[in-house]
Structures are given as C-alpha cells and as structure tokens.
Amino acid sequence: MDKLLTVEEASDLLHTSVRFVRRLVAERRIEFVKLGRHVRIPESALMAFVVAGTVAPMHATDVTSKRGRAA
C-alpha cells in the first residue's frame, strides 16, 4: 500500500503551496482518500500527476520546421 500523505506533505513534495494541492483535490484532478473529514493523497497519485504533466523537450528540427522560422 502507498504511503498516504497529508495535504501539507503533498505540497512539500511537489514544492507548491498547500492551496494548489487543495485545489487539485477540490477539482478532482488528483486521486485522494477521505478519512472522515481528513484528506490523504497516495504518493503514487502525486507521481502519476507529475508524469501526466511532463512535457517532452523539443528538438531543434521541431522548432525550425514551421516555415523555417524559430518559434
């Protein structure tokens, strides 16, 4: 079983504000567990969120392929 993190621990791990993590939970953009009135976030859910938002780098050929101009 994954380690369940508090909102504060999740924000520390992501290096974001607590408010950002609470917004992710409120908008149902990240998986979470409700324990009574407490919210816990599985560590794997944070990693999945980061992976889903990861953008691959562009290569020089990708940048200049549009009409020969750099973006």
Side-chain angles (χ1 to χ4, degrees), residues 17-55:
S17 67
V18 171
R19 185 176 176 183
F20 176 72
V21 176
R22 289 193 190 281
R23 193 175 79 213
L24 292 177
V25 169
E27 295 174 356
R28 305 290 199 265
R29 293 175 52 197
I30 194 166
E31 181 183 329
F32 63 95
V33 177
K34 278 285 272 196
L35 301 169
R37 64 182 207 165
H38 301 282
V39 172
R40 297 294 182 261
I41 302 165
E43 198 168 13
S44 63
L46 285 179
M47 296 305 113
F49 178 76
V50 170
V51 168
T54 301
V55 178

